[in-house]
Amino acid sequence: MGYNVAVDGPAGAGKSTIARLVAKEKGYIYVDTGAMYRALAVHFLKKGIAPEDTQGIIEACGDADVSIRYENGIQQVYLNGENVTGMLRTEEVGNMASRTSAIPGVREKLLELQRMLARENDVIMDGRDIGTNILPEADVKIFLTASVETRAKRRYDELRSKGEDCDLEQIARDIAERDARDMNRETAPLKRAEDAVLIDSSDMTIPEVVSEICSHCK
């Protein structure tokens, strides 16, 4: 059995960035579950399926193959043999992933792959329900959060650094709406596991958060 670290938290809390750095520090494999859901979202968007078309979404899962590979130490995400890594961080894909990840058929598509990786490797995995649903027996569970204002500003700065035109208040509204959707969805809602360590990164630097998580790991 592998040694498993689960990192959960709301959108924009920095889970992926932090988990990657912890993986590098501790020698774990980083499993980016959000990227896997986003890859499926790319698949649905390519097919022109509306997020509310649940049956269409479920059927589309049948011909979607998502895999994670490491090339020169960098994670690459493939959809049906195509590298879609560069498409995953757009707002359109993020919103589609948020709306479709609650569909049971979508979750089942990726669940066994995620658990197989965890059984066979020392992994750190981040998402919305890793510690509560996907890896309930994880050795370490972290719930990483930050205020809506902090998360919106981080996202705003990220987009501006890429030269994208964006509105801080709209980003904050989108994040608040996504929080509500993720916390209130029927299937595997976002919530802190009872045995998870709570870390609020609103006033912490990235190295401080990494150090805090590493202190709980072997």
Side-chain angles (χ1 to χ4, degrees):
M1 289 294 290
Y3 184 83
N4 299 166
V5 179
V7 180
D8 290 308
K15 300 184 299 297
S16 297
T17 298
I18 298 299
R20 284 190 181 92
L21 291 171
V22 172
K24 185 176 182 179
E25 179 76 18
K26 304 296 287 187
Y28 305 149
I29 290 177
Y30 169 58
V31 180
D32 186 349
T33 62
M36 297 171 78
Y37 281 109
R38 283 171 180 261
L40 279 181
V42 170
H43 182 63
F44 304 145
L45 288 166
K46 281 176 175 285
K47 286 181 168 287
I49 304 171
E52 59 271 14
D53 181 6
T54 302
Q55 189 57 41
I57 293 290
I58 293 172
E59 291 175 0
C61 286
D63 62 351
D65 178 60
V66 176
S67 60
I68 290 179
R69 307 176 196 172
Y70 281 83
E71 299 172 2
N72 299 318
I74 299 173
Q75 176 184 277
Q76 303 294 329
V77 182
Y78 284 79
L79 170 66
N80 294 332
E82 177 189 0
N83 189 329
V84 295
T85 308
M87 307 177 193
L88 303 184
R89 298 302 300 177
T90 67
E91 288 295 296
E92 182 184 27
V93 169
N95 285 325
M96 172 65 90
S98 175
R99 297 183 68 179
T100 58
S101 62
I103 299 172
V106 174
R107 306 191 72 77
E108 290 167 11
K109 176 73 179 180
L110 298 178
L111 181 59
E112 182 50 37
L113 172 60
Q114 294 162 356
R115 286 180 173 166
M116 179 182 69
L117 286 166
R119 283 196 300 269
E120 298 177 354
N121 304 276
D122 293 343
V123 305
I124 181 167
M125 195 178 296
D126 73 287
R128 303 288 192 277
D129 65 334
I130 308 303
T132 56
N133 183 55
I134 296 176
L135 299 178
E137 302 303 318
D139 299 276
V140 176
K141 298 178 186 178
I142 304 293
F143 192 86
L144 180 64
T145 190
S147 68
V148 170
E149 294 76 17
T150 297
R151 289 183 280 141
K153 184 61 166 59
R154 289 172 181 170
R155 182 62 174 153
Y156 175 83
D157 290 343
E158 177 187 1
L159 292 172
R160 292 292 293 175
S161 70
K162 296 177 181 177
E164 297 185 31
D165 188 27
C166 53
D167 179 77
L168 179 59
E169 291 185 1
Q170 182 59 52
I171 292 173
R173 285 194 293 271
D174 287 344
I175 286 175
E177 289 173 6
R178 192 177 300 183
D179 284 353
R181 195 160 60 232
D182 288 345
M183 288 187 290
N184 294 298
R185 68 191 185 192
E186 187 173 331
T187 303
L190 167 66
K191 64 179 180 180
R192 176 187 172 188
E194 291 184 3
D195 53 346
V197 177
L198 175 64
I199 299 177
D200 186 328
S201 68
S202 297
D203 298 312
M204 297 174 71
T205 65
I206 289 175
E208 286 173 341
V209 178
V210 170
S211 177
E212 175 67 18
I213 293 177
C214 285
S215 73
H216 295 283
C217 303
K218 76 170 187 181

